[in-house]
Amino acid sequence: MTTHRFTAAAWHNVLGTLPPALTVASGDTVITETIDAHGIDKDGVQRAPEPNPMNGPIFVTGAEPGDALRVDIVRMTPIRATGWTRASLAGNVVDPEFVRNLPPRDKVNWRIDRQGLTASLEPAVPGLEHLVLPLEPMIGCFGVAPAGGQAFSTATSAENGGNMDYRGFGPGATVWFPVAVPGALFFLGDCHATQGDGEIVGTGIETCFEVEVRLTVEKSRNLVWPRGESATDIFSVGNARPLDQALQHATTDMFNWLTSDYGMSPTAASHLMGQVVRYDVGNVFDPAYTMVCRIEKKWLPKLSEP
């Protein structure tokens, strides 16, 4: 297994079938530095236009349609001492008649303490003078090329992943994407120092990271939606609008996961999901919303050894 240090020379505002910037073998590790959602790098230099410019694509040898690409998020190290957010809730997450009461959506700065691993407003807002947030790094936008020669904007998400902005996509998580084109063509970017559920101001704390991921092809694992796993949970991800459709996709995928990989009967899966499922909200700001259907591993039957 090889570790590649990938220095991007160009970035993309779509996830699509584009010429590979790097080719790796299944099981290889890639270390790369991201730029922020506005295309600004760790030195404050504008490198690419918004929204959410992606590093990649990375071609993974052996990946074919009908396979899954496993992405292990090994490490996310902050490489910039500043980040930014918007100063107001987004208009689509409050009652329509309340929008006129919201403050301006100014861009505001945050100071990132890379030693203490915290973030604080700079300058502080009255009432939040002592607000210091622990860093909880996450990848806002990543995924693979979609089928049929499509190219999806990095402002949205679909079956291939994209701008899902789910807090669970951080170090230690494993994520699977359905492969739709040869090589999978993996993209990565839009990293956040921390973020509340839903990305309801339209941003997390946008900044730059050195990200380490391991990319592995799982043959004939024919997925429809992204899936993930942490130390304690498994989760299915649905991306759509309206929000109930995203929930339906995630719920259906979890049901299929339990009845296939875990060998549960439809009745058993229904009983278990009905009582132990937890729903997490990913992005509710962009064109497609993200819902996550999550189950703690302690409730799952043990998988048989291959």
Side-chain angles (χ1 to χ4, degrees):
M1 306 302 178
T2 302
T3 296
H4 306 262
R5 285 199 168 268
F6 170 42
T7 301
W11 295 265
H12 303 284
N13 302 110
V14 297
L15 281 68
T17 304
L18 300 171
L22 175 69
T23 297
V24 304
S26 176
D28 283 0
T29 295
V30 177
I31 299 173
T32 190
E33 292 186 357
T34 64
I35 59 179
D36 76 14
H38 276 175
I40 299 170
D41 71 8
K42 65 180 181 181
D43 300 314
V45 177
Q46 184 86 43
R47 295 292 184 185
E50 57 180 291
N52 302 329
M54 297 285 102
N55 294 21
I58 299 171
F59 185 103
V60 186
T61 302
E64 298 289 342
D67 299 336
L69 181 67
R70 171 178 172 146
V71 180
D72 293 294
I73 307 172
V74 178
R75 173 177 60 87
M76 295 180 67
T77 302
I79 56 174
R80 199 172 80 190
T82 61
W84 59 271
T85 60
R86 293 295 178 188
S88 172
L89 294 174
N92 64 303
V93 303
V94 298
D95 292 331
E97 64 273 16
F98 190 77
V99 172
R100 65 175 67 93
N101 299 321
L102 293 174
R105 290 184 52 75
D106 297 335
K107 184 177 178 180
V108 297
N109 295 318
W110 293 70
R111 183 177 64 86
I112 296 174
D113 182 341
R114 289 178 287 170
Q115 284 69 48
L117 300 180
T118 61
S120 53
L121 279 163
E122 191 173 71
V125 172
L128 297 178
E129 292 88 351
H130 303 293
L131 177 67
V132 179
L133 300 176
L135 295 195
E136 295 181 325
M138 52 165 284
I139 302 174
C141 187
F142 66 144
V144 295
Q150 301 175 90
F152 292 164
S153 168
T154 54
T156 193
S157 58
E159 291 90 338
N160 63 309
N163 195 38
M164 298 175 285
D165 292 307
Y166 174 49
R167 297 179 66 250
F169 291 144
T174 295
V175 187
W176 291 268
F177 294 103
V179 175
V181 302
L185 297 179
F186 174 71
F187 296 80
L188 164 70
D190 181 34
C191 295
H192 301 168
T194 192
Q195 177 206 288
D197 287 342
E199 200 189 40
I200 59 174
V201 298
T203 74
I205 299 181
E206 309 286 341
T207 189
C208 305
F209 280 87
E210 180 178 88
V211 181
E212 181 176 346
V213 293
R214 184 167 53 251
L215 304 176
T216 307
V217 178
E218 296 194 0
K219 301 299 292 182
S220 302
R221 188 174 187 185
N222 195 0
L223 304 183
V224 177
W225 293 97
R227 290 177 179 174
E229 180 177 345
S230 69
T232 56
D233 302 84
I234 66 170
F235 54 89
S236 291
V237 183
N239 301 311
R241 197 166 185 170
L243 195 61
D244 60 348
Q245 187 176 352
L247 182 145
Q248 289 164 357
H249 291 323
T251 306
T252 302
D253 188 74
M254 178 60 75
F255 181 89
N256 289 335
W257 195 353
L258 295 178
T259 55
S260 58
D261 292 26
Y262 290 92
M264 299 183 71
S265 71
T267 300
S270 296
H271 280 306
L272 183 67
M273 292 177 66
Q275 307 313 317
V276 306
V277 151
R278 299 293 182 264
Y279 285 106
D280 299 331
V281 179
N283 191 296
V284 291
F285 173 74
D286 290 323
Y289 293 157
T290 296
M291 282 295 299
V292 175
C293 182
R294 178 172 53 85
I295 290 180
E296 288 186 82
K297 290 179 180 178
K298 68 181 182 181
W299 302 117
L300 300 173
K302 300 297 183 183
L303 289 172
S304 59
E305 294 295 327

